[in-house]
Amino acid sequence: MHLDRVVPLLKEYPRRPVRLAASRSHTALASFVSLIGTIQWGRSDHPFNGASLDYMTDPNISAYRFGAVIEQIESGAIPRNQIYNVFYKDLVADVNGTIADIYRYFGFELTEEGRKAMDHYMIENPRDSRPPHRFNFGSEDVVARARKALQPYQDYFNIPNE
């Protein structure tokens, strides 16, 4: 959601890490649209009015935004040592291990208290205790267009098709 603001965020918070590539591109886009739609429905009787629908759903617009971030990484405007890429499937498969990897990468200490707090949270909030969120990816044509537009992003971050 904040791809357009990574450089200013890093200027404001220069010692804070940023996580970028998180998921499969068209799946992430569908999830993002669903999230924003949910937020807008809670605040408006008319979500996605005007150009906001295109901004959220047009894979070419998302591809442009993703491409701008890649250009900022390549130019050094976004320092590589301040980003750590996590695949969603890896996070879900091993939450504690993924979090430990992130801490290690940035040189932070993951305390035993922190580990216990994460374990406690996951025990109290098991992933399978709530129904999975489902969303519609659209027709095969829509998915194919999104895959094509977002392929450079997938290639850059080595994100496989599912």
Side-chain angles (χ1 to χ4, degrees):
M1 266 174 71
H2 300 295
L3 288 178
D4 303 336
R5 297 171 191 90
V6 172
V7 172
L9 282 169
L10 289 175
K11 284 181 182 171
E12 187 69 27
Y13 304 100
R15 299 187 52 91
R16 295 288 182 192
V18 174
R19 180 186 57 80
L20 291 177
S23 188
R24 300 159 292 194
S25 55
H26 83 277
T27 304
L29 182 58
S31 179
F32 174 67
V33 171
S34 177
L35 170 68
I36 296 302
T38 300
I39 291 168
Q40 286 192 3
W41 273 111
R43 302 182 76 193
S44 170
D45 291 334
H46 306 286
F48 291 133
N49 273 340
S52 68
L53 180 61
D54 287 340
Y55 185 76
M56 298 294 154
T57 60
D58 185 328
N60 293 310
I61 293 172
S62 291
Y64 175 80
R65 294 174 68 217
F66 292 169
V69 170
I70 291 169
E71 287 175 15
Q72 291 171 333
I73 293 168
E74 289 297 313
S75 74
I78 297 175
R80 289 181 191 271
N81 67 343
Q82 284 189 260
I83 57 175
Y84 185 81
N85 302 306
V86 175
F87 289 111
Y88 179 74
K89 68 178 183 68
D90 295 340
L91 177 64
V92 171
D94 182 11
V95 175
N96 284 353
T98 302
I99 299 297
D101 290 344
I102 294 168
Y103 271 68
R104 202 171 11 266
Y105 178 85
F106 288 109
F108 297 146
E109 178 189 3
L110 179 55
T111 65
E112 189 59 31
E113 181 183 356
R115 287 178 193 274
K116 286 180 181 176
M118 288 190 300
D119 286 339
H120 177 74
Y121 179 85
M122 289 187 296
I123 289 167
E124 294 293 316
N125 301 280
R127 185 168 176 78
D128 59 356
S129 69
R130 60 194 180 281
H133 182 75
R134 301 196 190 283
F135 40 82
N136 186 335
F137 295 112
S139 68
E140 288 182 27
D141 248 10
V142 168
V143 171
R145 278 194 337 243
R147 283 182 192 263
K148 183 178 178 182
L150 299 166
Q151 191 64 54
Y153 167 82
Q154 284 189 248
D155 293 345
Y156 187 83
F157 289 106
N158 297 313
I159 302 169
N161 283 335
E162 64 285 343

